[in-house]
Amino acid sequence: MQATSIEKKAEIKLLADLVKHPSRIFDVAAILRESDFQHLSTRCIFSSAKKIAEESASLNKDDPIDKDILEQKISTLFPDTFKSQESAFASTTDEIFSLNGLNIKDFKSAVDFVLKNSITKKAEQVLDKTKKELGDQKSYSEVLAHVESNIFDFTSNAIDGSDIVILGENYQEFMAIRERLAQQGKLHIGISTGFPELDKAIGGGFRDGTINMFAARAKAGKSWMGLKIADNVAQQGIPVLYMDTELEDNYQSDRRCAQCTGIPIYQLEKALWTQHTEYRSKIDSFFNYQKKNPIYYVDIKGWSIDRQISVIRKFFAKYVGKRADGKYNRGLVVLDYLKLMRAGEKGADKEWEALGYRMTLLHDLMGEYNNPMMALAQQNRDGLDKEDESTISGSDRIIWLCDNFSIIGAIPEAELLIHQEEADRGTIDSHLRVKVPNTKVKVVVCRHGPGTPGGYIAYYCDIRDRKLSHDKICGHIEEGTRRITIAEGTASGAV
């Protein structure tokens, strides 16, 4: 091994791990900068590896960066430097690719060392600058003024204060933009779910930086609802990441195809659709549709929360991207669903503490990217006869940190009879293809919108339709045009 400084050895050790596990580049993106690497070669290599990770990151894999591709990227990004110091770069990359990766503990230690070394070097530069500027100046006040000035400059550069703004400084400009968008009919408070009544109830759709929670009992259709909303958002040209803890990609593709085409999922699974010319045409159209409106999917069964956060960072870096002002474009993450993955994951904590910690991390992450998450959750046994926030396992932090909390459930038999009576009289939602709703969404907790006090939003979901046999189900979900209140034995539309 070539003789190098302790600092450079540490930087090479860290880079060796990053090229073997590029996903970790996203884990440190918020704290580790190119300028933290003290040597020109390692600085250029880090910048190049970061660029490769952003361009080619896979949501499902963490393939190592190829040495030839890395060297090619260095020569592209830093052509003059690479040409003048080609042998130095070759020596450094040889050393990087000769080392093994690090475990999580050693990786964190390596990052910590590089950051501390960077701060130390910058502090030494401030000290040298102060000594040179003092010269023959002898007075105490002059010495103190120079020291204070340079220390302030150092801390200002070391600590990014760009997130501190004057409240309302750009408010007039913001209001002018808001007015213009409203006049154009393009003003959206949040990302629309595709269901107008639900958007109204939660205060304008999924707002920036929020977690929007939907809970249901097992097999109640929460994944169908999550997939439908994901599809509705994808149609708006907004990137969607669907993180799945239960199913797998081909089965979810069957579900999406069934929802979009109206072809029963049974027909898709058994390839019976090939016997129908009309179905074949719909399938061909769906292939084009899903290319035009992609949903990015990752199977996260058994994944730790750190690994889940890493894939979300990849999604925003590669598929969402930033605007000219440096802020991220709009994107939606759908988590199906919030739970502990392994029995040992909670460690010494109780389950509600571990879930609360997980919720805190996800809440802070979505705030960092200023984009929303739709998180699904499973109700506990209390959900059989209660409809409030106590029906999900976990800490109070789950409710505290979500923007809204809704319960998906079946409309009770007695209320179904009321809806059937209205359907017979022709007074229920006339636009519904099937006139009798069978599913309700009750917005229990809501920070911005009115929720659904004393009632619910009615839906027709074919998975609950008793008149349909299993081989006719296609996951169709349709929202009624009114919120329903139940009072004194009658169903009525809520304004």
Side-chain angles (χ1 to χ4, degrees):
M1 182 182 291
Q2 180 181 353
T4 57
S5 68
I6 295 175
E7 291 87 354
K8 190 172 183 180
K9 284 184 178 180
E11 293 176 2
I12 287 174
K13 187 177 180 182
L14 176 58
L15 289 170
D17 184 78
L18 293 178
V19 297
K20 286 179 173 60
H21 306 288
S23 65
R24 293 182 177 177
I25 292 175
F26 300 101
D27 297 336
V28 299
I31 59 173
L32 191 65
R33 301 182 179 91
E34 289 83 351
S35 60
D36 291 319
F37 289 83
Q38 302 306 306
H39 298 266
L40 181 61
S41 59
T42 54
R43 191 180 306 137
C44 294
I45 290 170
F46 176 73
S47 297
S48 302
K50 183 178 179 182
K51 191 68 174 176
I52 292 171
E54 292 172 346
E55 292 173 346
S56 60
S58 168
L59 296 177
N60 294 292
K61 297 188 231 176
D62 193 20
D63 295 328
I65 294 175
D66 181 78
K67 182 181 176 183
D68 292 338
I69 292 176
L70 179 61
E71 290 179 337
Q72 183 178 3
K73 182 61 71 175
I74 297 169
S75 65
T76 301
L77 295 178
F78 310 99
D80 295 337
T81 304
F82 183 79
K83 186 175 181 180
S84 63
Q85 301 190 37
E86 189 171 354
S87 60
F89 276 109
S91 175
T92 303
T93 52
D94 285 344
E95 191 169 351
I96 287 171
F97 282 90
S98 71
L99 299 176
N100 296 321
L102 305 171
N103 59 40
I104 291 294
K105 183 179 178 181
D106 290 341
F107 171 71
K108 291 180 178 178
S109 296
V111 173
D112 189 53
F113 182 92
V114 170
L115 289 172
K116 287 193 293 186
N117 184 60
S118 174
I119 292 293
T120 301
K121 293 290 185 183
K122 289 171 183 174
E124 289 173 352
Q125 292 171 5
V126 170
L127 181 60
D128 292 340
K129 181 173 181 287
T130 303
K131 288 179 178 179
K132 290 177 182 177
E133 288 177 347
L134 286 176
D136 297 329
Q137 298 168 359
K138 302 295 183 181
S139 76
Y140 169 78
S141 60
E142 289 176 320
V143 172
L144 185 61
H146 272 286
V147 172
E148 287 180 339
S149 175
N150 288 333
I151 289 177
F152 178 77
D153 289 343
F154 166 65
T155 55
S156 297
N157 292 327
I159 302 173
D160 183 8
S162 60
D163 52 348
I164 301 174
V165 299
I166 299 173
L167 181 62
E169 183 177 20
N170 300 313
Y171 190 57
Q172 184 175 356
E173 179 184 354
F174 172 75
M175 290 295 282
I177 294 173
R178 178 183 280 174
E179 181 182 10
R180 184 172 70 251
L181 290 174
Q183 291 171 348
Q184 297 170 351
K186 298 179 180 179
L187 179 62
H188 304 291
I189 296 175
I191 293 176
S192 174
T193 64
F195 293 124
E197 290 301 315
L198 179 58
D199 287 346
K200 292 176 191 175
I202 63 176
F206 296 154
R207 293 183 176 230
D208 294 343
T210 63
I211 294 183
N212 306 265
M213 184 77 65
F214 292 78
R217 291 289 293 163
K219 313 301 180 185
K222 59 182 178 293
S223 293
W224 282 106
M225 181 66 81
L227 186 62
K228 179 59 178 174
I229 289 178
D231 182 72
N232 290 344
V233 173
Q235 288 183 52
Q236 301 170 46
I238 297 173
V240 179
L241 173 64
Y242 197 103
M243 302 173 66
D244 199 342
T245 67
E246 295 287 295
L247 305 176
E248 50 88 28
D249 58 348
N250 286 329
Y251 186 63
Q252 289 284 30
S253 293
D254 278 344
R255 284 187 165 197
R256 189 185 186 195
C257 182
Q259 283 187 328
C260 292
T261 63
I263 300 173
I265 196 166
Y266 178 84
Q267 297 267 345
L268 297 174
E269 291 181 321
K270 298 292 185 180
L272 298 177
W273 58 272
T274 58
Q275 303 170 15
H276 302 270
T277 303
E278 179 187 357
Y279 283 177
R280 186 179 291 276
S281 176
K282 287 183 176 181
I283 291 287
D284 290 339
S285 296
F286 175 73
F287 291 153
N288 293 326
Y289 170 84
Q290 66 175 358
K291 289 178 182 178
K292 184 179 178 182
N293 306 287
I295 295 175
Y296 300 97
Y297 177 89
V298 59
D299 183 342
I300 61 169
K301 295 185 192 74
W303 283 24
S304 67
I305 185 62
D306 289 337
R307 193 175 175 192
Q308 291 179 43
I309 288 174
S310 179
V311 81
I312 292 172
R313 292 190 183 281
K314 283 184 187 179
F315 168 68
F316 279 103
K318 183 175 182 180
Y319 299 104
V320 178
K322 293 183 178 181
R323 306 192 300 259
D325 61 2
K327 296 181 179 179
Y328 281 92
N329 294 311
R330 284 194 154 181
L332 173 68
V333 177
V334 178
L335 175 59
D336 183 8
Y337 60 96
L338 179 69
K339 66 176 182 177
L340 297 180
M341 294 296 186
R342 297 183 295 270
E345 189 176 356
K346 64 186 180 66
D349 295 333
K350 296 178 181 178
E351 182 177 356
W352 60 268
E353 293 174 321
L355 281 170
Y357 172 69
R358 180 182 291 261
M359 184 69 174
T360 300
L361 292 177
L362 292 173
H363 173 268
D364 292 348
L365 182 70
M366 301 319 296
E368 178 184 335
Y369 288 99
N370 198 35
N371 269 296
M373 170 183 283
M374 176 186 184
L376 306 178
Q378 191 139 303
Q379 287 182 290
N380 54 33
R381 292 189 199 93
D382 290 341
L384 292 171
D385 52 18
K386 294 172 66 176
E387 293 181 333
D388 58 36
E389 60 270 31
S390 69
T391 60
I392 58 169
S393 300
S395 77
D396 288 340
R397 269 187 287 179
I398 291 179
I399 299 302
W400 296 340
L401 296 175
C402 69
D403 188 72
N404 47 77
F405 172 70
S406 304
I407 295 175
I408 303 169
I411 294 177
E413 191 70 30
E415 295 175 22
L416 280 176
L417 292 175
I418 297 173
H419 293 312
Q420 183 64 60
E421 291 173 2
E422 287 201 339
D424 294 340
R425 294 195 302 267
T427 57
I428 203 163
D429 295 309
S430 59
H431 87 289
L432 283 173
R433 189 173 68 185
V434 178
K435 293 185 180 298
V436 182
N438 54 19
T439 302
K440 60 181 177 180
V441 172
K442 185 174 183 179
V443 183
V444 179
V445 176
C446 194
R447 180 170 287 120
H448 293 105
T452 55
Y456 52 80
I457 306 169
Y459 293 82
Y460 168 75
C461 299
D462 71 357
I463 63 170
R464 293 187 189 279
D465 193 336
R466 297 175 185 176
K467 297 177 183 178
L468 290 183
S469 58
H470 174 71
D471 60 350
K472 298 293 191 296
I473 299 296
C474 62
H476 177 70
I477 300 175
E478 194 169 354
E479 183 182 69
T481 58
R482 304 171 301 162
R483 268 189 292 124
I484 305 297
T485 60
I486 302 299
E488 300 178 358
T490 61
S492 60
V495 178

